[in-house]
């Protein structure tokens, strides 16, 4: 059974930074495309970033490009999301997800439980 467990969320002031982590177990991590998403209250889930397995190719949504950085450590089966210059509108529950195949913003098969990020003004 595949498990994804996020951590690192919390309360931060606007302009601050957070790094989210997602530990993966139960499947071959190195060949999985990993993605980060978020969902704010009353809004649809939003794709943020993805990273491919072996080569680490990255793909970002325009809304976070330049502020967020996705990375992975295949030795630790962990994917990260470094978030800088945070804004109150970044407040949401953040999810990591995994999929097979090519890097993509959609069609993820496995999801974590989410971690809350709150940015105060």
């Amino acid at each position: 059974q595949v498990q994804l467990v996020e951590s690192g969320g919390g309360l931060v002031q606007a302009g601050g930074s957070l790094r989210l982590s997602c530990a993966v177990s139960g499947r071959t991590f190195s060949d999985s495309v990993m993605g980060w998403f978020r969902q704010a209250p009353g809004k649809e889930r939003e794709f943020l970033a993805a990273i491919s397995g072996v080569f680490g190719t990255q793909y970002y949504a325009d809304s976070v490009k330049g502020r967020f950085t996705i990375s992975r450590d295949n030795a630790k089966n962990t994917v990260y999301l470094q978030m800088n210059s945070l804004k109150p509108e970044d407040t949401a529950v953040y999810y990591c997800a995994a999929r097979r195949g090519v890097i993509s913003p959609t069609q993820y098969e496995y999801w974590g439980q989410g971690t809350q990020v709150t940015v105060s003004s």
Side-chain angles (χ1 to χ4, degrees):
Q1 183 176 354
V2 180
Q3 286 191 319
L4 289 75
V5 180
E6 301 98 335
S7 60
L11 174 64
V12 63
Q13 288 189 331
S17 299
L18 279 176
R19 189 176 81 154
L20 305 182
S21 300
C22 174
V24 181
S25 61
R27 69 168 280 116
T28 304
F29 177 74
S30 61
D31 63 0
S32 299
V33 174
M34 300 299 301
W36 283 98
F37 297 75
R38 68 185 178 190
Q39 188 165 21
K43 295 188 176 182
E44 293 186 352
R45 186 169 59 199
E46 175 188 12
F47 166 79
L48 301 176
I51 187 166
S52 66
V54 176
F55 299 108
T57 303
Q58 299 164 32
Y59 176 57
Y60 294 94
D62 288 341
S63 59
V64 302
K65 198 175 295 184
R67 294 193 301 127
F68 291 8
T69 302
I70 190 170
S71 62
R72 65 193 294 158
D73 186 337
N74 287 342
K76 295 182 178 180
N77 283 10
T78 301
V79 62
Y80 305 97
L81 186 68
Q82 177 68 43
M83 305 186 294
N84 299 327
S85 303
L86 284 162
K87 308 173 183 179
E89 51 264 43
D90 293 318
T91 295
V93 178
Y94 283 69
Y95 299 90
C96 70
R99 60 164 284 160
R100 291 167 288 185
V102 300
I103 194 169
S104 170
T106 63
Q107 297 181 316
Y108 282 74
E109 302 165 80
Y110 306 102
W111 293 84
Q113 82 290 348
T115 186
Q116 176 71 46
V117 172
T118 303
V119 184
S120 63
S121 57

